[in-house]
């Protein structure tokens, strides 16, 4: 039931409608109450008006009574006064609503009127007037004060006439009368500032003879019967109408409208949010269903996996050629495989729990049990070697190992163990032990013999040790000397070059003759200085290079450049030197342009060195500079027809500080460093350099560089 | 109108040589024997050309190149590093530091001025 209720309320339309109904009912009820309160207040106000007017009317009646009584009294005592007008003025002063004062004789004729103006009624017989007569007759009949009206006044308008009968000597002698025009009275009410002009008025009186309601004012308020209030006054049945000029708007209506709007809004919100939560619920439900089905899939596939792995495990354990067992966390056996039965001859039931220990060899039983229980208690892995004694009395040596089975929450839920047959190994070890014992005896014998020769050997070793220490010291000395040499040479070369700059520079400047003209002899000598300087600088640079190479500090920086133009420049530079010796340098290039990514200065240095050598060691013929490209390898050959190099010398050629003809005849200047530098540079740039030569026929220096 | 060359060089003989050579080739020469003076004079006189020896006692020549090329000198100022032979990588380092070109020591009086002019023309482009 509860569910039905809940779901009914969760229906957005029902929820919305219910909210609408509840809110609408309550707001409208409140609005209605408010309406009644407003209404009541208005009625109260009208009642106040009514009672004010009633009071005023009553006082008007009293005044009329006293005024007419006074006049009647004068007439009764002194007869018709001669100074009627003065008396009338005095009477009119008593109330501002008195319009006219009259005297009527016993026959109904009006004898005196004040004021006369607009009141040409003297001689008019009031008893003949239908309207006036009934009131007048009543007065005569009752012989008492009576109010007549509403009466259409002669002077215009509707009035109320108060009449007092006059009796002289007990005999009816006429009326004294005061006429009050009621419109004046009500106009005055409206002028009253406290009244705000908020109301219209009407006064009526029921004609006693006709029973008809007659009105004192000429307005249409008479039709608004609902505003008529009967007022208690003498001389007839009076009704007062107090009609609000503007029927005030009852603000409760606004409240009602507001209530409707609120109800609609609130019910819409309820409808929307219930709908929203329903939609959300639906979404969640569909997601849940989706997930559930996915989970089911996963569950099923994992179940399948588990089943397969179980099968694998079962077939593995039952067919394994080792003993496999499984225990719970208390160390009680829960499973053993087929092989286990083969070894022990026990049945499955016999092995379960702690039954397995009956399979242990009696000598091992206590130890192994202790080991096993210790492992279980300390939650450690188990490892042991022991013997099984089967039911057929067969003893086997086993090596067993059991590892803890750990759950996801890291608690141990059992052990799985394997035991393998090591009987063969144990037997072999036993045999080996016997062997070993024999051997030891033999060894002891031999050791004695050896000890004797050992001493002799020790002496020899000591000698050797001293020798090797000596050698080591010398090697270190030599190595540091080498390093020191390189450092010294590098520093020296640098220091040497600074003055060389001055020598070469100033010689050059002098030769430019800025300071004045030189004679031929001076020029010749200065040129010699300049050439020597340049030669010396070349030597220094060579020494610097080789010392850097030996210290491993030679660096190259690669950048692309036009190789052939570098080569041509070098050839051009060296041509004068060659021509001087009658030699010709010929370029044989296979390509028209070769862009080489290498260290231009260093490559130039190599080429310059090789061609210079060729010039130096040739006295005739041509020097050919040949360039080929093959599979990304650039080969440059410098071929001369010079003196050539012998096979033995070719091996020493690229070693530093070696000039082949050293000592004997120094016909060729140079440090002997050039080729060693070339070799190092070419290798540093990723290439190779080699020479082929024949004494007396010439040489071919070839080097390669990667493109 | 003569162009002005600021030479920053610590070696007196080299300074004399460069100064003499340039004066003979119709240049105004300002001499600075260390890096600090060189920087001060450069900012004071705004020379058209600055020759800087890379090896100076007080300051690295590259540092001077760097400071000069970034510090308020007219953009047209030509900065030339004078490097020593066999110091591999000097030229590249000089250009990286903001030099417009480099010339090598020992200077060749026959070609030095022409080489300098070709660097100036290159920059002028």
């Amino acid at each position: 039931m509860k569910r039905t209720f809940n779901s009914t309320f969760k229906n957005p339309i029902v929820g919305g409608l219910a909210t609408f109904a509840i809110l609408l009912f309550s707001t409208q009820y409140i609005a209605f109450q408010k309406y009644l309160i407003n209404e009541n207040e208005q009625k109260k106000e009208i009642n106040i008006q009514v009672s004010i007017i009633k009071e005023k009317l009553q006082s008007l009646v009293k005044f009329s009574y006293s005024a007419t009584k006074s006049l009647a009294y004068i007439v009764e005592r002194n007869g018709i006064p001669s100074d009627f007008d003065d008396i009338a003025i005095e009477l009119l002063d008593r109330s501002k609503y008195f319009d006219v004062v009259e005297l009527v004789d016993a026959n109904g004729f009006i004898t005196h009127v004040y004021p006369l103006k607009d009141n040409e009624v003297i001689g008019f017989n009031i008893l003949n007037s239908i309207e006036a007569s009934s009131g007048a007759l009543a007065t005569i009949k009752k012989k008492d004060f009576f109010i007549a009206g509403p009466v259409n006044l002669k002077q215009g308008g509707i009035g109320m006439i108060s009449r007092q009968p006059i009796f002289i000597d007990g005999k009816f002698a006429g009326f004294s009368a005061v006429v009050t025009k009621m419109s004046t009275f009500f106009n005055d009410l409206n002028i009253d500032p406290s009244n705000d002009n908020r109301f219209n008025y009407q006064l009526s009186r029921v004609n006693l003879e006709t029973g008809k309601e007659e009105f004192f004012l000429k307005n249409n308020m008479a039709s608004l019967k609902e505003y008529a209030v009967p007022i208690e006054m003498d001389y007839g049945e009076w009704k007062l109408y107090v009609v609000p000029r503007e029927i005030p708007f009852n603000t409760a209506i606004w409240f009602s409208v507001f209530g409707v709007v609120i109800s609609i809004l609130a019910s819409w919100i309820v409808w929307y949010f219930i709908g929203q939560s329903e939609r959300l619920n639906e979404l969640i439900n569909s997601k849940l269903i989706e997930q559930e089905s996915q989970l089911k899939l996963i569950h099923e596939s994992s179940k399948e996996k588990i089943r397969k792995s179980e099968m694998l495990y079962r077939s593995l354990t039952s067919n394994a050629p080792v003993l496999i067992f499984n225990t719970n966390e208390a160390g009680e056996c829960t499973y053993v495989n087929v092989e286990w039965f083969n070894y022990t001859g026990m049945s499955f039931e016999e092995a379960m729990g702690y039954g397995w220990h009956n399979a242990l060899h009696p000598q091992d039983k206590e130890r192994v049990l202790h080991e096993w229980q210790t492992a279980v208690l300390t939650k450690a892995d188990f490892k042991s070697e022991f013997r099984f004694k089967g039911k057929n009395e067969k003893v086997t040596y086993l090596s067993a190992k059991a590892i803890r089975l750990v759950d996801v929450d890291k608690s141990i839920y059992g052990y799985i163990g394997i035991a393998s047959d090591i009987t063969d190994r144990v037997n072999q070890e036993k045999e080996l032990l016997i062997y070993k014992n024999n051997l030891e005896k033999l060894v002891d014998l031999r050791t004695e013999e050896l000890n004797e020769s050992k001493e002799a050997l020790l002496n020899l070793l000591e000698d050797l040790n001293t020798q090797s220490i000596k050698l080591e010291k010398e090697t270190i000395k030599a190595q540091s000397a080498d390093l020191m040499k390189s450092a010294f040479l590098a520093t020296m070369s640098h220091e040497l070059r600074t003055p060389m700059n001055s020598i070469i520079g100033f010689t050059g400047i002098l030769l430019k003759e800025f300071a004045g003209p030189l004679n031929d002899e001076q020029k010749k000598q200065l040129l010699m200085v300049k050439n020597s300087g340049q030669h010396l600088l070349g030597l220094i640079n060579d020494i610097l290079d080789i010392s850097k190479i030996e210290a491993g500090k030679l660096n190259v920086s690669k950048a692309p450049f036009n190789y052939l133009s570098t080569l041509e420049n070098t050839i051009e530079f060296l041509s004068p030197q060659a021509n001087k010796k009658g030699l010709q340098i010929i370029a044989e290039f296979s390509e028209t342009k070769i862009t080489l990514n290498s260290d231009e200065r260093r490559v130039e240095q190599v080429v310059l060195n090789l061609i210079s050598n060729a010039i130096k060691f040739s006295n005739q013929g041509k020097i050919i500079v040949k360039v080929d490209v093959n599979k990304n390898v650039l080969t440059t050959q410098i071929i001369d027809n010079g003196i050539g190099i012998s096979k033995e010398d070719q091996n020493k050629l690229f070693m530093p500080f070696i000039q082949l003809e050293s000592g004997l005849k120094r016909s060729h200047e140079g440090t002997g460093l050039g080729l060693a530098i070339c070799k190092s540079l070419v290798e540093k740039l990723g290439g190779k350099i080699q020479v082929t030569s024949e004494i007396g026929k010439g040489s071919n220096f070839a080097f390669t560089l990667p493109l | 109108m003569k162009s002005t060359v600021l030479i920053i060089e610590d070696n007196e003989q080299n300074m004399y040589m460069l100064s003499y050579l340039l004066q003979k080739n119709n240049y105004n020469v300002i001499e600075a024997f260390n890096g600090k003076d060189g920087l001060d004079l450069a900012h004071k006189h705004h020379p058209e050309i600055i020759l800087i020896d890379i090896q100076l006692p007080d300051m690295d020549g590259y540092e001077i190149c760097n400071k000069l090329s970034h510090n308020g000198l007219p953009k047209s100022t030509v900065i030339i590093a004078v490097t020593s032979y066999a110091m591999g990588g000097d030229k590249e380092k000089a250009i990286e530091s903001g030099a417009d070109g480099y010339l090598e020591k020992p200077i060749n009086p026959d070609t030095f001025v022409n080489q300098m002019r070709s660097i100036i023309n290159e920059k002028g482009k």
Side-chain angles (χ1 to χ4, degrees):
Chain A
M1 275 314 283
K2 198 180 170 188
R3 174 145 182 93
T4 328
F5 172 79
N6 263 348
S7 60
T8 308
F9 253 78
K10 276 176 184 163
N11 182 327
I13 293 166
V14 173
L17 283 177
T19 311
F20 180 73
I22 292 164
L23 276 175
L24 189 70
F25 175 77
S26 43
T27 53
Q28 294 313 304
Y29 180 76
I30 294 164
F32 179 65
Q33 290 302 322
K34 173 77 180 159
Y35 180 85
L36 289 180
I37 290 165
N38 287 353
E39 228 19 16
N40 233 11
E41 243 159 52
Q42 201 184 328
K43 266 184 193 159
K44 244 187 228 167
E45 216 173 324
I46 289 170
N47 282 340
I48 291 166
Q49 285 294 317
V50 168
S51 63
I52 291 169
I53 295 166
K54 189 177 123 191
E55 231 164 76
K56 283 188 176 178
L57 276 173
Q58 280 169 346
S59 78
L60 183 63
V61 170
K62 271 183 204 160
F63 278 123
S64 306
Y65 179 87
S66 81
T68 47
K69 192 77 188 171
S70 300
L71 187 56
Y73 186 72
I74 291 167
V75 174
E76 280 169 1
R77 290 274 297 270
N78 307 323
I80 305 288
S82 54
D83 55 347
F84 171 79
D85 282 5
D86 292 340
I87 293 166
I89 287 166
E90 191 264 324
L91 290 176
L92 285 177
D93 274 349
R94 291 188 183 182
S95 167
K96 56 179 174 175
Y97 304 119
F98 294 166
D99 283 314
V100 182
V101 180
E102 290 172 353
L103 275 178
V104 180
D105 68 13
N107 298 317
F109 290 102
I110 296 170
T111 57
H112 291 78
V113 175
Y114 185 88
L116 258 179
K117 194 176 176 256
D118 295 331
N119 290 305
E120 313 289 338
V121 288
I122 294 180
F124 179 75
N125 190 330
I126 58 160
L127 297 178
N128 293 339
S129 148
I130 300 166
E131 286 167 315
S133 61
S134 62
L137 286 173
T139 312
I140 297 163
K141 226 188 265 170
K142 287 184 178 171
K143 295 187 171 71
D144 199 358
F145 177 79
F146 192 76
I147 291 171
V151 180
N152 282 319
L153 298 175
K154 272 270 177 191
Q155 60 268 41
I158 304 165
M160 180 175 92
I161 304 171
S162 314
R163 292 192 177 96
Q164 192 76 247
I166 303 171
F167 296 93
I168 299 173
D169 299 328
K171 197 184 156 197
F172 177 67
F175 308 103
S176 64
V178 174
V179 178
T180 310
K181 208 191 244 177
M182 289 314 284
S183 57
T184 321
F185 176 82
F186 283 102
N187 280 345
D188 234 28
L189 275 180
N190 282 341
I191 288 157
D192 186 348
S194 69
N195 230 330
D196 280 349
N197 276 357
R198 282 193 290 122
F199 297 99
N200 287 322
Y201 306 100
Q202 180 63 282
L203 186 66
S204 73
R205 191 182 185 193
V206 176
N207 190 313
L208 286 174
E209 285 170 14
T210 59
K212 262 189 187 165
E213 196 180 9
E214 292 171 348
F215 295 94
F216 283 92
L217 294 169
K218 283 179 183 163
N219 62 26
N220 55 2
M221 296 304 134
S223 61
L224 299 166
K225 297 279 180 206
E226 67 266 31
Y227 289 98
V229 183
I231 48 174
E232 290 164 26
M233 265 196 2
D234 296 331
Y235 323 114
E237 199 179 312
W238 303 76
K239 270 184 192 163
L240 184 64
Y241 292 71
V242 178
V243 182
R245 292 224 166 138
E246 281 172 14
I247 295 169
F249 187 77
N250 198 325
T251 49
I253 289 171
W254 281 127
F255 195 87
S256 161
V257 172
F258 178 70
V260 171
V261 172
I262 285 286
S263 308
I264 290 168
L265 261 179
S267 57
W268 180 81
I269 287 167
V270 168
W271 171 80
Y272 179 79
F273 278 102
I274 292 176
Q276 194 73 341
S277 80
E278 206 169 70
R279 283 187 282 278
L280 205 69
N281 271 339
E282 269 169 31
L283 194 73
I284 290 167
N285 275 339
S286 71
K287 287 272 170 204
L288 274 176
I289 288 164
E290 205 175 289
Q291 273 186 356
E292 220 166 88
S293 67
Q294 268 175 3
L295 272 175
K296 219 182 233 173
L297 272 177
I298 291 166
H299 179 68
E300 253 152 44
S301 79
S302 46
K303 239 164 78 183
E304 177 63 20
K305 272 184 198 157
I306 289 166
R307 196 183 64 79
K308 277 183 184 162
S309 100
E310 186 96 347
M311 264 171 65
L312 187 69
Y313 165 73
R314 288 285 170 208
S315 65
L316 267 177
T317 53
S318 51
N319 296 321
V322 290
L323 291 73
I324 295 172
F325 57 95
N326 208 181
T327 78
N328 60 17
E329 74 278 11
E332 294 161 352
C333 190
T334 54
Y335 169 81
V336 286
N337 72 340
V338 179
E339 196 71 0
W340 203 90
F341 303 134
N342 295 344
Y343 271 83
T344 59
M346 287 168 86
S347 72
F348 188 80
E349 288 73 21
E350 282 171 326
M352 291 302 102
Y354 267 94
W356 57 273
H357 81 265
N358 289 324
L360 286 165
H361 191 282
Q363 283 172 11
D364 292 344
K365 199 181 260 180
E366 204 175 321
R367 173 180 63 88
V368 175
L369 260 175
H370 178 72
E371 281 173 358
W372 175 247
Q373 277 161 349
T374 312
V376 171
L377 278 173
T378 56
K379 296 180 174 169
D381 287 346
F382 168 81
K383 196 178 175 186
S384 186
E385 282 183 11
F386 47 80
R387 285 166 290 176
F388 262 4
K389 196 174 181 184
K391 281 193 174 166
N392 54 5
E393 297 294 316
K394 191 189 165 195
V395 173
T396 41
Y397 286 87
L398 291 166
S399 169
K401 204 177 167 184
I403 54 165
R404 292 159 293 168
L405 295 170
V406 182
D407 223 334
V408 209
D409 60 357
K410 290 185 181 166
S411 67
I412 294 166
Y413 66 91
Y415 281 86
I416 181 136
I418 291 175
S420 54
D421 188 346
I422 55 165
T423 314
D424 287 350
R425 199 190 82 198
V426 171
N427 288 339
Q428 277 166 9
E429 274 171 3
K430 274 179 188 163
E431 276 170 36
L432 267 172
L433 199 70
I434 296 163
Y435 257 121
K436 193 182 142 205
N437 288 341
N438 286 339
L439 265 173
E440 265 170 12
K441 274 172 200 162
L442 270 170
V443 167
D444 282 347
L445 276 174
R446 292 290 297 178
T447 311
E448 261 169 57
E449 284 171 30
L450 274 168
N451 271 344
E452 285 159 21
S453 44
K454 188 179 145 197
E455 239 162 82
L457 258 170
L458 270 176
N459 291 338
L460 209 70
L461 249 168
E462 214 166 288
D463 283 358
L464 268 171
N465 214 12
T466 344
Q467 289 279 335
S468 99
I469 289 168
K470 232 189 231 168
L471 259 172
E472 206 169 297
K473 274 183 187 163
E474 268 166 28
T475 314
I476 291 168
K477 222 165 151 187
Q479 277 173 353
S480 63
D482 215 36
L483 277 175
M484 270 167 71
K485 184 195 78 189
S486 297
F488 171 74
L489 284 175
T491 321
M492 275 317 288
S493 310
H494 187 70
E495 289 302 316
L496 285 169
R497 270 188 319 153
T498 313
M500 283 315 294
N501 289 340
S502 281
I503 293 167
I504 295 164
F506 283 119
T507 317
I509 288 174
L510 278 172
L511 281 166
K512 299 260 326 173
E513 297 179 326
F514 284 131
L518 298 168
N519 64 35
D520 286 352
E521 196 54 38
Q522 284 171 324
K523 264 193 197 168
K524 191 179 161 189
Q525 289 171 9
L526 275 174
L527 266 172
M528 285 173 165
V529 174
K530 191 185 168 190
N531 285 338
S532 299
Q534 259 160 355
H535 184 65
L536 184 53
L537 186 68
L539 298 182
I540 292 166
N541 284 337
D542 275 0
I543 292 171
L544 184 59
D545 279 348
I546 203 76
S547 59
K548 273 190 175 174
I549 289 165
E550 291 198 340
K553 284 178 184 165
L554 183 91
N555 295 321
V556 292
S557 52
K558 291 185 177 180
F561 66 94
N562 186 343
Y563 179 60
L564 293 184
S565 81
T566 304
L567 218 50
E568 274 163 359
N569 287 342
T570 312
I571 291 169
E572 202 180 320
F573 177 73
L574 289 172
S575 282
Q577 236 174 291
N579 293 344
K580 222 186 264 178
K581 288 183 83 175
L583 301 166
Q584 205 188 346
I585 307 174
I586 298 164
E588 283 183 14
F589 301 157
S590 68
E591 316 279 319
T592 50
K593 190 179 175 188
I594 297 170
T595 304
L596 189 61
N597 186 26
S598 196
D599 190 324
E600 183 178 9
R601 171 189 278 289
R602 292 307 191 178
V603 172
E604 194 183 36
Q605 191 181 347
V606 171
V607 175
L608 191 82
N609 210 306
L610 293 178
I611 300 176
S612 291
N613 274 350
I615 297 169
K616 213 188 283 177
F617 297 103
S618 299
N619 295 315
Q620 45 119 17
K622 296 178 266 183
I623 295 166
I624 299 166
V625 180
K626 202 173 170 185
V627 176
D628 291 297
V629 175
N630 188 15
K631 288 180 189 166
N632 280 341
V633 176
L634 170 76
T635 309
T636 310
Q637 300 176 69
I638 289 100
I639 308 158
D640 67 49
N641 309 115
I643 56 173
I645 308 151
S646 69
K647 278 269 181 284
E648 311 87 76
D649 288 343
Q650 284 175 25
N651 298 328
K652 297 186 271 178
L653 201 54
F654 295 105
M655 288 159 89
F657 300 108
I658 285 186
Q659 211 177 25
L660 294 182
E661 298 154 288
S662 60
L664 291 174
K665 41 173 185 157
R666 288 199 52 112
S667 61
H668 307 287
E669 54 185 17
T671 48
L673 293 173
L675 286 173
I677 294 169
C678 285
K679 186 175 188 303
S680 295
L681 287 176
V682 168
E683 283 169 2
K684 192 95 186 176
L685 292 169
K688 276 181 185 162
I689 188 164
Q690 62 182 38
V691 62
T692 48
S693 180
E694 209 174 307
I695 290 276
K697 287 207 171 164
S699 312
N700 181 347
F701 283 86
F703 69 93
T704 60
L705 286 174
L707 269 181
Chain B
M1 185 67 191
K2 282 182 176 181
S3 293
T4 304
V5 186
L6 168 64
I7 307 171
I8 308 175
E9 162 71 78
D10 64 313
N11 184 295
E12 243 174 87
Q13 289 189 8
N14 281 345
M15 175 68 92
Y16 174 69
M17 192 196 305
L18 285 168
S19 182
Y20 182 84
L21 192 61
L22 290 169
Q23 277 167 6
K24 286 294 166 194
N25 279 285
N26 222 15
Y27 285 94
N28 278 330
V29 173
I30 305 169
E31 299 179 348
F33 285 91
N34 57 52
K36 192 187 165 296
D37 289 355
L39 287 172
D40 290 347
L41 289 170
H43 286 112
K44 199 170 163 191
H45 296 288
H46 288 186
E48 282 86 355
I49 303 146
I50 304 175
L51 295 181
I52 304 166
D53 182 18
I54 288 307
Q55 286 166 310
L56 287 172
D58 64 331
M59 227 184 256
D60 187 352
Y62 303 119
E63 195 187 329
I64 301 175
C65 284
N66 215 334
K67 284 189 172 162
L68 286 176
S69 60
H70 290 105
N71 254 336
L73 288 182
K75 280 203 170 161
S76 61
T77 310
V78 180
I79 301 170
I80 299 171
V82 181
T83 62
S84 226
Y85 166 79
M87 296 309 233
D90 275 4
K91 322 167 230 176
E92 290 81 3
K93 252 169 106 180
I95 302 293
E96 267 172 37
S97 308
D100 297 301
Y102 62 92
L103 291 168
E104 279 177 358
K105 275 203 281 193
I107 61 160
N108 184 345
D110 293 332
T111 56
F112 182 81
V113 174
N114 282 338
Q115 285 172 345
M116 194 178 88
R117 283 187 181 135
S118 72
I119 293 171
I120 296 165
N121 289 338
E122 194 66 29
K123 164 126 180 175
K125 281 177 191 169

